[in-house]
Each structure stands twice: as structure tokens, then as C-alpha cells.
Amino acid sequence: MPIRVQNDLPVKEILEQENIFVMDEYRAAHQQIRPISIGLLNLMPLKEDTELQILRSLSNTPLQVDVTFVRVSSHVSKNTSTSHIYKFYESFESIKNKKFDGFIITGAPVEQMPFEEVDYWEELKEIMEWTKTNVTSTLHLCWGAQAGIYYHYGIDKVMLSEKKFGVFPHHVRDRKIPLVRGFDDIFYAPHSRHTEVPLKELEADDRIRILADSDEAGVFLCMAEEGKQVFVMGHPEYDRMTLDTEYKRDCAKGLDIQIPVNYYPNNNPDNKPNLLWRSHANTLYSNWLNYYVYQVTPYNLYGAPNFS
């Protein structure tokens, strides 16, 4: 089933070239169907890249998904044009009286800063509090997951001795949980971060359930409140070349960056990277939409069902 986006969203053409069914606003207006409403708070610097990655991830489901891009008002993006943001994104203030079946909070390039020093932290706290009453399930990604765990459960991130960078093997802790249904015993996922939420502190908090982790990369996936809050510490939405772009960008800046682990064949950056995580990423997003959004959300988000 289709992803519904604005008619002239630039990444729409790329999705269509990948044979992903994208429905524009005109066709959607004639559909007699209740789509799943998903909000995406995109805090990543290259917003169009993230739009493409997330929309691609949400497309592998029989559900019709209606996506609303959301921005914070307390921060000005330096890497995406203002015209793009104001044309395709809604401010939180303009959507705060709405309800959503699901909501996604992305990562952000501010992980080495204390949360309280991030210029949009107060607004993000308001958004995370709002999701408790206006969203059926919220999916937090990378720094967004660290921020969510810190805000909701008071567990702070810690600095790593070196950047966790590459594609790491993970194992499922409890495959009876629907969120990891269909996962292999060992699966791969990308990480790109300087911080982590300590495993022992998460294990000690009985409000949080760890679903998958890695001996090398730590916790990957956990949830709370029976899936109302879901936290993904890595970047399963990344495409094949995202880590390559990050690595070569940092090399060009003269930064001390290691070659991404388990990424390039023969550990040679001149080789095309292996794509090892796409099937599990698709499964994760499909499971979230199916088991924690679609099967839980009310038919009418604003009240009793209307059968007229």
C-alpha cells in the first residue's frame, strides 16, 4: 500500500523510481480508507536524505501511511534550505492539537552535548510529553532514543572512548515480543555515535525491556509501556552509502575517524559497501506499524468510531 506525501516533495520521484507506491494528496482525497497517520520529527541535518530513508522504511507494509513532517521552531537548520523546511514541514505549534497513530523522533548531531545545552531541548521535552497523550506509539532513533530514555526514565547517556561506527551483529533477547518477530538470531544494523545509554542501567530499570543488543555495540532495541515508547539506538533506516558519506566527509575534514566496522569488503573504502541490514530494518518498521500502531490505535483518533 502507498505512502502519502505532498505532491511536489523532492524525494517522491526517487521513491517512485524504486517502485515504492507513493500516493499524492489529490489521489488520497478520493480514497475511502482510514490511513495510518505518522508524524516525523526530523532532527537530522540532511533532512531530505532522512526523509527518503524513513519513507522507504515505512513503505514495506500493507497499510496506507500518511506522513506529516514536523520541525522544531527553536532551531534553524544549516544544512537544508529554509524554503524546503517551510514548504514541507509543519511546526510543532501547528500540530500540537492533533493526534497521531505513530510518531518518529530521529537522531541529531548533538550527542556530545549535555541534553540541557541543546538549543531546542525545552521544545523537544514539550513534544515528548505531548506524545504521551496524543500518540499511540512513539519510535525514537539514535540520539532521539537517548533523549527519550533520559526524559521519560532519567537515564543519561555516557561518552564512549571512541566513536561506535560501522555495522555490528546483534542478537535477539526475547523473540516472543512482536517487535522482533521474524528477526534472525543474529542480525546486523548500522551505528554512528559517540555516546551510549549504559546496558546495566537499562537492565536495572524494570520499566524498560531490552529486546536486542550487541556484544560490540551495546543495546540496540528496547521498549517501555508495552510498546507505547520504542527506542532504537542505531540507524536501521540508513541506506547503503550513508556511512560511506559520513566517513569520507570526516576524512576530508582531517578528523581522526576509523574505517566503519564490517562495512567495506576487505576493509577497503574504495570498495562498494555491503548492505547487510535492509531486510531486518524493513521487518522492524513493519512490526512497529502493525503490532504497536495499527492493532492498538483507535479507529477514530478523536473519539468514538463513526460508522455513517
Side-chain angles (χ1 to χ4, degrees):
M1 290 295 286
I3 299 287
R4 192 197 73 81
V5 296
Q6 293 101 316
N7 303 328
D8 49 353
L9 184 72
V11 301
K12 179 174 179 284
E13 182 178 351
I14 299 174
L15 292 166
E16 290 173 333
Q17 291 171 355
E18 296 178 6
N19 291 321
I20 293 173
F21 186 5
V22 183
M23 178 180 289
D24 62 29
E25 296 165 303
Y26 303 126
R27 183 169 178 180
H30 296 88
Q31 291 279 305
Q32 295 297 318
I33 192 171
R34 153 74 157 92
I36 294 295
S37 178
I38 302 294
L40 172 61
L41 178 64
N42 187 356
L43 302 173
M44 293 291 278
L46 301 176
K47 299 196 185 302
E48 291 185 63
D49 289 353
T50 302
E51 292 164 14
L52 176 61
Q53 293 164 9
I54 297 294
L55 291 174
R56 183 189 288 132
S57 298
L58 293 173
S59 70
N60 290 280
T61 169
L63 305 173
Q64 182 172 313
V65 181
D66 184 347
V67 180
T68 299
F69 297 126
V70 182
R71 60 178 172 84
V72 291
S73 300
S74 44
H75 177 79
V76 177
S77 177
K78 300 176 182 177
N79 298 283
T80 303
S81 70
T82 301
S83 61
H84 180 89
I85 292 173
Y86 280 90
K87 182 174 184 179
F88 297 110
Y89 284 70
E90 298 191 40
S91 67
F92 172 63
E93 188 67 27
S94 70
I95 60 99
K96 64 189 301 183
N97 293 324
K98 297 181 180 180
K99 292 184 181 292
F100 289 84
D101 300 297
F103 201 79
I104 300 172
I105 300 175
T106 72
V110 293
E111 58 175 319
Q112 298 185 71
M113 300 170 60
F115 291 113
E116 290 79 5
E117 292 184 9
V118 175
D119 58 3
Y120 50 82
W121 179 244
E122 290 302 318
E123 186 175 3
L124 181 57
K125 287 198 304 181
E126 183 183 359
I127 293 171
M128 290 189 290
E129 184 65 25
W130 166 87
T131 65
K132 291 161 66 173
T133 54
N134 288 58
V135 176
T136 299
S137 179
T138 302
L139 181 67
H140 309 71
L141 301 175
C142 200
W143 180 84
Q146 296 180 353
I149 286 175
Y150 179 63
Y151 176 74
H152 292 294
Y153 306 106
I155 303 174
D156 204 350
K157 57 184 169 61
V158 297
M159 288 293 299
L160 296 169
S161 58
E162 62 179 27
K163 186 176 183 179
K164 192 65 62 179
F165 190 43
V167 182
F168 298 91
H170 303 76
H171 62 272
V172 174
R173 286 199 176 194
D174 187 350
R175 59 177 52 262
K176 294 180 181 179
I177 302 301
L179 193 58
V180 292
R181 187 165 292 166
F183 277 40
D184 294 329
D185 289 339
I186 302 295
F187 67 94
Y188 286 83
H191 290 260
S192 178
R193 51 186 169 81
H194 294 273
T195 57
E196 70 176 8
V197 181
L199 170 64
K200 290 184 177 179
E201 292 195 36
L202 290 171
E203 289 179 323
D205 194 319
D206 58 12
R207 297 171 296 177
I208 299 170
R209 187 166 195 166
I210 299 173
L211 303 181
D213 63 346
S214 166
D215 294 337
E216 300 172 66
V219 175
F220 171 71
L221 178 64
C222 55
M223 73 178 195
E225 300 174 52
E226 300 300 318
K228 186 170 178 62
Q229 304 287 350
V230 177
F231 306 97
V232 182
M233 302 299 179
H235 281 287
E237 78 283 358
Y238 271 8
D239 63 28
R240 182 194 301 272
M241 303 305 295
T242 306
L243 292 179
D244 176 74
T245 300
E246 291 184 6
Y247 173 68
K248 292 175 179 175
R249 175 202 64 198
D250 288 353
C251 285
K253 291 180 178 179
L255 300 178
D256 183 17
I257 182 71
Q258 301 298 314
I259 293 176
V261 175
N262 299 323
Y263 186 54
Y264 298 112
N266 300 318
N267 215 31
N268 182 350
D270 292 329
N271 291 331
K272 182 179 179 179
N274 289 318
L275 182 59
L276 303 174
W277 62 92
R278 177 63 56 78
S279 62
H280 280 88
N282 289 342
T283 300
L284 173 61
Y285 278 89
S286 295
N287 285 348
W288 175 64
L289 284 173
N290 182 19
Y291 297 115
Y292 297 91
V293 179
Y294 173 70
Q295 294 195 29
V296 180
T297 198
Y299 178 84
N300 187 330
L301 281 169
Y302 295 91
N306 181 359
F307 298 107
S308 61

